[in-house]
Amino acid sequence: MKKRILITGGAGFLGSHLCDRLLEQGHEVIVADNLFTGRKSNIAHHLGNPNFEFIRHDVTDPIRLEVDQIYNLACPASPPHYQYNAIKTIKTSVMGAINVLGLAKRTKARVFQASTSEIYGDPEVHPQPESYWGNVNTIGVRSCYDEGKRVAETLFFDYHRQNGVDIRVVRIFNTYGPRMLPNDGRVVSNFIVQALRGEDITIYGDGKQTRSFCYVDDLIAGFMKLMETDNFTGPVNIGNPGEFTMLELAEQVLKKVGSKSKLVFRALPSDDPKQRKPDITLAKTRLGWEPKVPLSDGLDKTIAYFAKLLDCPYPQS
Ligand code: NAD
Ligand code: UDP
């Protein structure tokens, strides 16, 4: 059945891919975005589609719309962007959650929260299952994001218990793919852009910290499966359990690009988690979801995207 679906943060990296998939399915999509890290170019191909609307809107302000579903993605995701205005970041998570939950309560819309693996902090349990409560600094430079997302989860479950709001909560692990910004600051885009431009590859710390990288198409499929599943609120981890050190990632990128860039070591940012890998047992059993795209294939697609965007030769040797 055709639904009217609001995506906050829909002009961003993940939101714009979600927008594509929902419009393909014949739904009506409203994107509300303040364009802080989002781009009109990410959604420009839908302008003129009668099923698509864009509203320049800040989620810290309430919005009055009639909708059937809400995906709440509004929040800068890369550390340099969310630390640029830390107070605004925590307001976005907390007030944004209150505003979308209020809207969901009034319209009886199902509402989805893009939570994050950051709620596990620097985890002492590995891999991380949803039952793990996390190890998070309340006063560090990452706290505006981590604690904001934790409060948002709390608000979602309180509105669910107290007001019967129909919630879905996903904990997203590091995701990459086309439409990331070249200056995004996250590791996959940084390494690819540096390799393509022949600039030094910046390894923070000793590069032995690990992350698990999910290709965007797999992630969006997981979002939509959760939204279509009844009687399951989450929280559920969605991510790819393949675990790599930053040195391994740099090596793969350099080899694929054929780049002569050198590795340089920079100070490790404070509170940088040492390891991260999702336990996806719950997503497999409750949603029948698991990722399909291995890192190597996802990197090929992402490198091809950046090479075109930046007009760099690829492969270079
Ligand atoms: P992104 O920065 O590309 O997208 C965020 C979008 O939200 C942008 O379009 C931005 O303009 C918009 N936005 C920011 N503040 C806003 C505000 N106050 N009002 C309205 N719009 C606002 O990042 P992304 O990677 O697409 O992330 C989307 C969501 O997924 C975020 O909530 C992020 O925390 C979450 N997430 C992403 C990842 C990942 O690896 N990509 C991992 C964990 C969680
Ligand atoms: N990182 C790095 N070089 C960069 C950018 C990031 O070595 O140019 C490291 C960063 O310190 C972290 C990992 O890569 O250990 C992932 O960083 P990202 O910002 O992508 O995501 P997050 O730390 O939020 O998982």
Side-chain angles (χ1 to χ4, degrees):
M1 204 183 69
K2 182 171 179 170
K3 295 194 176 72
R4 186 179 301 146
I5 303 174
L6 170 66
I7 310 177
T8 74
F13 161 49
L14 298 180
S16 64
H17 285 277
L18 176 63
C19 197
D20 293 351
R21 296 291 90 75
L22 293 172
L23 285 167
E24 269 165 26
Q25 290 192 344
H27 297 296
E28 217 179 296
V29 172
I30 304 173
V31 163
D33 198 301
N34 71 353
L35 299 179
F36 173 48
T37 50
R39 292 288 172 270
K40 280 191 198 161
S41 57
N42 287 343
I43 47 169
H45 52 294
H46 299 307
L47 296 173
N49 178 343
N51 280 332
F52 178 78
E53 269 173 87
F54 170 71
I55 308 168
R56 189 188 285 252
H57 173 78
D58 195 301
V59 292
T60 57
D61 291 323
I63 189 163
R64 204 177 165 86
L65 294 166
E66 303 311 316
V67 288
D68 305 303
Q69 284 187 349
I70 306 164
Y71 284 87
N72 186 36
L73 270 59
C75 186
S78 100
H81 287 144
Y82 71 64
Q83 288 167 19
Y84 171 77
N85 185 344
I87 297 168
K88 177 71 191 204
T89 298
I90 195 159
K91 279 188 181 172
T92 294
S93 276
V94 176
M95 294 165 72
I98 292 171
N99 287 325
V100 296
L101 286 161
L103 178 64
K105 184 179 163 191
R106 183 178 62 76
T107 57
K108 301 198 167 37
R110 182 169 286 179
V111 59
F112 171 106
Q113 169 64 3
S115 190
T116 169
S117 53
E118 296 285 336
I119 67 107
Y120 300 121
D122 190 4
E124 288 161 325
V125 171
H126 194 73
Q128 294 80 53
E130 292 81 354
S131 53
Y132 177 51
W133 289 356
N135 175 36
V136 182
N137 180 358
T138 56
I139 57 170
V141 292
R142 296 175 83 100
S143 310
C144 60
Y145 183 77
D146 301 7
E147 295 291 8
K149 290 284 187 179
R150 287 172 68 95
V151 172
E153 284 200 9
T154 306
L155 283 162
F156 267 67
F157 278 84
D158 283 336
Y159 269 76
H160 175 62
R161 276 187 292 262
Q162 212 171 313
N163 298 126
V165 172
D166 189 13
I167 61 162
R168 297 290 180 274
V169 176
V170 153
R171 293 183 180 152
I172 305 166
F173 283 66
N174 298 61
T175 301
Y176 67 99
R179 296 192 195 146
M180 293 185 95
L181 295 173
N183 67 349
D184 181 276
R186 281 177 275 189
V187 69
V188 175
S189 46
N190 269 12
F191 285 3
I192 293 176
V193 170
Q194 290 162 345
L196 285 168
R197 289 182 169 154
E199 294 167 358
D200 292 343
I201 305 282
T202 51
I203 307 273
Y204 299 163
D206 60 9
K208 290 185 182 144
Q209 69 272 38
T210 67
R211 293 293 185 275
S212 302
F213 299 104
C214 185
Y215 187 65
V216 60
D217 291 355
D218 281 336
L219 186 87
I220 302 299
F223 282 13
M224 292 169 69
K225 277 220 159 157
L226 177 64
M227 211 49 164
E228 286 151 17
T229 301
D230 288 328
N231 305 314
F232 179 54
T233 56
V236 59
N237 291 337
I238 297 282
N240 190 321
E243 187 183 5
F244 299 88
T245 66
M246 296 313 102
L247 286 171
E248 288 166 342
L249 176 70
E251 243 169 61
Q252 279 213 40
V253 169
L254 284 174
K255 198 165 159 214
K256 283 179 179 297
V257 173
S259 166
K260 305 221 162 25
S261 290
K262 306 255 170 313
L263 303 188
V264 294
F265 291 85
R266 298 274 176 262
L268 188 70
S270 63
D271 295 340
D272 199 281
K274 286 181 275 305
Q275 53 180 4
R276 183 181 290 153
K277 169 182 168 149
D279 178 333
I280 59 164
T281 312
L282 191 64
K284 279 187 185 162
T285 51
R286 294 301 301 266
L287 305 177
W289 176 89
E290 61 183 315
K292 296 194 172 69
V293 184
L295 180 63
S296 174
D297 295 0
L299 283 179
D300 288 339
K301 293 177 205 235
T302 312
I303 295 169
Y305 161 79
F306 276 116
K308 192 163 173 231
L309 183 80
L310 304 173
D311 198 18
C312 290
Y314 161 66
Q316 301 188 341
S317 59

PDB file of all heavy atoms in Angstrom, residues 280-299:
ATOM      1  N   ILE A 280      25.327  -9.740  14.872  1.00  0.00           N
ATOM      2  CA  ILE A 280      24.086  -9.529  14.107  1.00  0.00           C
ATOM      3  C   ILE A 280      23.118 -10.714  14.211  1.00  0.00           C
ATOM      4  O   ILE A 280      22.226 -10.874  13.384  1.00  0.00           O
ATOM      5  CB  ILE A 280      24.360  -9.175  12.623  1.00  0.00           C
ATOM      6  CG1 ILE A 280      25.161 -10.259  11.909  1.00  0.00           C
ATOM      7  CG2 ILE A 280      25.056  -7.816  12.507  1.00  0.00           C
ATOM      8  CD1 ILE A 280      25.107 -10.140  10.379  1.00  0.00           C
ATOM      9  N   THR A 281      23.283 -11.514  15.270  1.00  0.00           N
ATOM     10  CA  THR A 281      22.389 -12.665  15.455  1.00  0.00           C
ATOM     11  C   THR A 281      20.916 -12.237  15.475  1.00  0.00           C
ATOM     12  O   THR A 281      20.063 -12.884  14.852  1.00  0.00           O
ATOM     13  CB  THR A 281      22.728 -13.372  16.796  1.00  0.00           C
ATOM     14  OG1 THR A 281      24.139 -13.551  16.842  1.00  0.00           O
ATOM     15  CG2 THR A 281      22.024 -14.698  16.922  1.00  0.00           C
ATOM     16  N   LEU A 282      20.635 -11.126  16.166  1.00  0.00           N
ATOM     17  CA  LEU A 282      19.239 -10.686  16.294  1.00  0.00           C
ATOM     18  C   LEU A 282      18.660 -10.283  14.931  1.00  0.00           C
ATOM     19  O   LEU A 282      17.528 -10.654  14.588  1.00  0.00           O
ATOM     20  CB  LEU A 282      19.165  -9.508  17.277  1.00  0.00           C
ATOM     21  CG  LEU A 282      17.777  -9.083  17.727  1.00  0.00           C
ATOM     22  CD1 LEU A 282      17.081 -10.191  18.510  1.00  0.00           C
ATOM     23  CD2 LEU A 282      17.844  -7.812  18.590  1.00  0.00           C
ATOM     24  N   ALA A 283      19.428  -9.543  14.142  1.00  0.00           N
ATOM     25  CA  ALA A 283      18.950  -9.131  12.813  1.00  0.00           C
ATOM     26  C   ALA A 283      18.716 -10.352  11.927  1.00  0.00           C
ATOM     27  O   ALA A 283      17.740 -10.412  11.167  1.00  0.00           O
ATOM     28  CB  ALA A 283      19.960  -8.193  12.158  1.00  0.00           C
ATOM     29  N   LYS A 284      19.591 -11.340  12.040  1.00  0.00           N
ATOM     30  CA  LYS A 284      19.435 -12.562  11.231  1.00  0.00           C
ATOM     31  C   LYS A 284      18.167 -13.303  11.619  1.00  0.00           C
ATOM     32  O   LYS A 284      17.401 -13.729  10.752  1.00  0.00           O
ATOM     33  CB  LYS A 284      20.635 -13.492  11.462  1.00  0.00           C
ATOM     34  CG  LYS A 284      21.872 -13.129  10.675  1.00  0.00           C
ATOM     35  CD  LYS A 284      22.900 -14.252  10.878  1.00  0.00           C
ATOM     36  CE  LYS A 284      24.211 -13.948  10.238  1.00  0.00           C
ATOM     37  NZ  LYS A 284      25.292 -14.786  10.760  1.00  0.00           N
ATOM     38  N   THR A 285      17.949 -13.442  12.944  1.00  0.00           N
ATOM     39  CA  THR A 285      16.821 -14.277  13.370  1.00  0.00           C
ATOM     40  C   THR A 285      15.492 -13.537  13.256  1.00  0.00           C
ATOM     41  O   THR A 285      14.519 -14.093  12.779  1.00  0.00           O
ATOM     42  CB  THR A 285      17.010 -14.802  14.808  1.00  0.00           C
ATOM     43  OG1 THR A 285      17.331 -13.691  15.635  1.00  0.00           O
ATOM     44  CG2 THR A 285      18.122 -15.806  14.907  1.00  0.00           C
ATOM     45  N   ARG A 286      15.446 -12.257  13.662  1.00  0.00           N
ATOM     46  CA  ARG A 286      14.159 -11.540  13.670  1.00  0.00           C
ATOM     47  C   ARG A 286      13.805 -10.924  12.322  1.00  0.00           C
ATOM     48  O   ARG A 286      12.637 -10.774  11.985  1.00  0.00           O
ATOM     49  CB  ARG A 286      14.134 -10.455  14.756  1.00  0.00           C
ATOM     50  CG  ARG A 286      14.184 -10.976  16.175  1.00  0.00           C
ATOM     51  CD  ARG A 286      13.036 -11.912  16.527  1.00  0.00           C
ATOM     52  NE  ARG A 286      11.715 -11.320  16.387  1.00  0.00           N
ATOM     53  CZ  ARG A 286      11.024 -10.739  17.350  1.00  0.00           C
ATOM     54  NH1 ARG A 286      11.526 -10.710  18.568  1.00  0.00           N
ATOM     55  NH2 ARG A 286       9.836 -10.229  17.134  1.00  0.00           N
ATOM     56  N   LEU A 287      14.825 -10.523  11.547  1.00  0.00           N
ATOM     57  CA  LEU A 287      14.535  -9.839  10.274  1.00  0.00           C
ATOM     58  C   LEU A 287      14.904 -10.681   9.062  1.00  0.00           C
ATOM     59  O   LEU A 287      14.563 -10.326   7.929  1.00  0.00           O
ATOM     60  CB  LEU A 287      15.311  -8.510  10.194  1.00  0.00           C
ATOM     61  CG  LEU A 287      15.135  -7.512  11.336  1.00  0.00           C
ATOM     62  CD1 LEU A 287      16.022  -6.297  11.135  1.00  0.00           C
ATOM     63  CD2 LEU A 287      13.665  -7.079  11.449  1.00  0.00           C
ATOM     64  N   GLY A 288      15.614 -11.781   9.281  1.00  0.00           N
ATOM     65  CA  GLY A 288      16.112 -12.556   8.139  1.00  0.00           C
ATOM     66  C   GLY A 288      17.060 -11.714   7.302  1.00  0.00           C
ATOM     67  O   GLY A 288      17.160 -11.862   6.097  1.00  0.00           O
ATOM     68  N   TRP A 289      17.791 -10.798   7.964  1.00  0.00           N
ATOM     69  CA  TRP A 289      18.693  -9.883   7.258  1.00  0.00           C
ATOM     70  C   TRP A 289      20.145 -10.224   7.544  1.00  0.00           C
ATOM     71  O   TRP A 289      20.499 -10.538   8.685  1.00  0.00           O
ATOM     72  CB  TRP A 289      18.448  -8.440   7.709  1.00  0.00           C
ATOM     73  CG  TRP A 289      19.411  -7.468   7.071  1.00  0.00           C
ATOM     74  CD1 TRP A 289      19.254  -6.821   5.887  1.00  0.00           C
ATOM     75  CD2 TRP A 289      20.706  -7.065   7.580  1.00  0.00           C
ATOM     76  NE1 TRP A 289      20.357  -6.046   5.616  1.00  0.00           N
ATOM     77  CE2 TRP A 289      21.267  -6.173   6.638  1.00  0.00           C
ATOM     78  CE3 TRP A 289      21.452  -7.383   8.723  1.00  0.00           C
ATOM     79  CZ2 TRP A 289      22.532  -5.584   6.807  1.00  0.00           C
ATOM     80  CZ3 TRP A 289      22.706  -6.800   8.894  1.00  0.00           C
ATOM     81  CH2 TRP A 289      23.223  -5.904   7.943  1.00  0.00           C
ATOM     82  N   GLU A 290      20.964 -10.181   6.528  1.00  0.00           N
ATOM     83  CA  GLU A 290      22.412 -10.136   6.727  1.00  0.00           C
ATOM     84  C   GLU A 290      23.047  -9.447   5.535  1.00  0.00           C
ATOM     85  O   GLU A 290      22.453  -9.399   4.453  1.00  0.00           O
ATOM     86  CB  GLU A 290      23.015 -11.523   6.966  1.00  0.00           C
ATOM     87  CG  GLU A 290      22.837 -12.515   5.867  1.00  0.00           C
ATOM     88  CD  GLU A 290      23.428 -13.880   6.271  1.00  0.00           C
ATOM     89  OE1 GLU A 290      24.543 -13.918   6.811  1.00  0.00           O
ATOM     90  OE2 GLU A 290      22.737 -14.884   6.029  1.00  0.00           O
ATOM     91  N   PRO A 291      24.226  -8.847   5.719  1.00  0.00           N
ATOM     92  CA  PRO A 291      24.827  -8.101   4.609  1.00  0.00           C
ATOM     93  C   PRO A 291      25.307  -9.034   3.503  1.00  0.00           C
ATOM     94  O   PRO A 291      25.682 -10.171   3.768  1.00  0.00           O
ATOM     95  CB  PRO A 291      26.007  -7.389   5.271  1.00  0.00           C
ATOM     96  CG  PRO A 291      26.324  -8.182   6.485  1.00  0.00           C
ATOM     97  CD  PRO A 291      25.051  -8.801   6.949  1.00  0.00           C
ATOM     98  N   LYS A 292      25.277  -8.527   2.268  1.00  0.00           N
ATOM     99  CA  LYS A 292      25.673  -9.351   1.124  1.00  0.00           C
ATOM    100  C   LYS A 292      26.953  -8.855   0.459  1.00  0.00           C
ATOM    101  O   LYS A 292      27.604  -9.582  -0.259  1.00  0.00           O
ATOM    102  CB  LYS A 292      24.559  -9.301   0.071  1.00  0.00           C
ATOM    103  CG  LYS A 292      23.248  -9.907   0.533  1.00  0.00           C
ATOM    104  CD  LYS A 292      22.322 -10.138  -0.668  1.00  0.00           C
ATOM    105  CE  LYS A 292      21.074 -10.906  -0.294  1.00  0.00           C
ATOM    106  NZ  LYS A 292      20.146 -10.135   0.556  1.00  0.00           N
ATOM    107  N   VAL A 293      27.277  -7.559   0.664  1.00  0.00           N
ATOM    108  CA  VAL A 293      28.375  -6.951  -0.098  1.00  0.00           C
ATOM    109  C   VAL A 293      29.672  -6.975   0.727  1.00  0.00           C
ATOM    110  O   VAL A 293      29.771  -6.291   1.748  1.00  0.00           O
ATOM    111  CB  VAL A 293      28.033  -5.486  -0.484  1.00  0.00           C
ATOM    112  CG1 VAL A 293      29.128  -4.886  -1.358  1.00  0.00           C
ATOM    113  CG2 VAL A 293      26.676  -5.417  -1.183  1.00  0.00           C
ATOM    114  N   PRO A 294      30.677  -7.782   0.288  1.00  0.00           N
ATOM    115  CA  PRO A 294      31.943  -7.778   1.027  1.00  0.00           C
ATOM    116  C   PRO A 294      32.681  -6.452   0.861  1.00  0.00           C
ATOM    117  O   PRO A 294      32.449  -5.730  -0.123  1.00  0.00           O
ATOM    118  CB  PRO A 294      32.746  -8.927   0.393  1.00  0.00           C
ATOM    119  CG  PRO A 294      31.979  -9.400  -0.779  1.00  0.00           C
ATOM    120  CD  PRO A 294      30.674  -8.660  -0.874  1.00  0.00           C
ATOM    121  N   LEU A 295      33.564  -6.136   1.813  1.00  0.00           N
ATOM    122  CA  LEU A 295      34.266  -4.846   1.800  1.00  0.00           C
ATOM    123  C   LEU A 295      34.933  -4.594   0.446  1.00  0.00           C
ATOM    124  O   LEU A 295      34.850  -3.489  -0.098  1.00  0.00           O
ATOM    125  CB  LEU A 295      35.310  -4.810   2.927  1.00  0.00           C
ATOM    126  CG  LEU A 295      36.114  -3.514   3.026  1.00  0.00           C
ATOM    127  CD1 LEU A 295      35.216  -2.320   3.345  1.00  0.00           C
ATOM    128  CD2 LEU A 295      37.224  -3.627   4.081  1.00  0.00           C
ATOM    129  N   SER A 296      35.562  -5.615  -0.112  1.00  0.00           N
ATOM    130  CA  SER A 296      36.298  -5.425  -1.362  1.00  0.00           C
ATOM    131  C   SER A 296      35.376  -4.915  -2.486  1.00  0.00           C
ATOM    132  O   SER A 296      35.724  -3.977  -3.207  1.00  0.00           O
ATOM    133  CB  SER A 296      36.962  -6.746  -1.739  1.00  0.00           C
ATOM    134  OG  SER A 296      37.551  -6.626  -2.989  1.00  0.00           O
ATOM    135  N   ASP A 297      34.186  -5.501  -2.605  1.00  0.00           N
ATOM    136  CA  ASP A 297      33.242  -5.075  -3.673  1.00  0.00           C
ATOM    137  C   ASP A 297      32.698  -3.673  -3.393  1.00  0.00           C
ATOM    138  O   ASP A 297      32.563  -2.852  -4.297  1.00  0.00           O
ATOM    139  CB  ASP A 297      32.048  -6.042  -3.762  1.00  0.00           C
ATOM    140  CG  ASP A 297      32.477  -7.433  -4.199  1.00  0.00           C
ATOM    141  OD1 ASP A 297      33.689  -7.626  -4.418  1.00  0.00           O
ATOM    142  OD2 ASP A 297      31.612  -8.327  -4.287  1.00  0.00           O
ATOM    143  N   GLY A 298      32.391  -3.417  -2.131  1.00  0.00           N
ATOM    144  CA  GLY A 298      31.870  -2.099  -1.767  1.00  0.00           C
ATOM    145  C   GLY A 298      32.909  -1.008  -2.000  1.00  0.00           C
ATOM    146  O   GLY A 298      32.574   0.097  -2.447  1.00  0.00           O
ATOM    147  N   LEU A 299      34.167  -1.331  -1.709  1.00  0.00           N
ATOM    148  CA  LEU A 299      35.237  -0.343  -1.938  1.00  0.00           C
ATOM    149  C   LEU A 299      35.354  -0.045  -3.432  1.00  0.00           C
ATOM    150  O   LEU A 299      35.535   1.111  -3.826  1.00  0.00           O
ATOM    151  CB  LEU A 299      36.577  -0.856  -1.403  1.00  0.00           C
ATOM    152  CG  LEU A 299      36.773  -0.799   0.113  1.00  0.00           C
ATOM    153  CD1 LEU A 299      38.141  -1.358   0.497  1.00  0.00           C
ATOM    154  CD2 LEU A 299      36.621   0.624   0.660  1.00  0.00           C
TER     155      LEU A 299
END
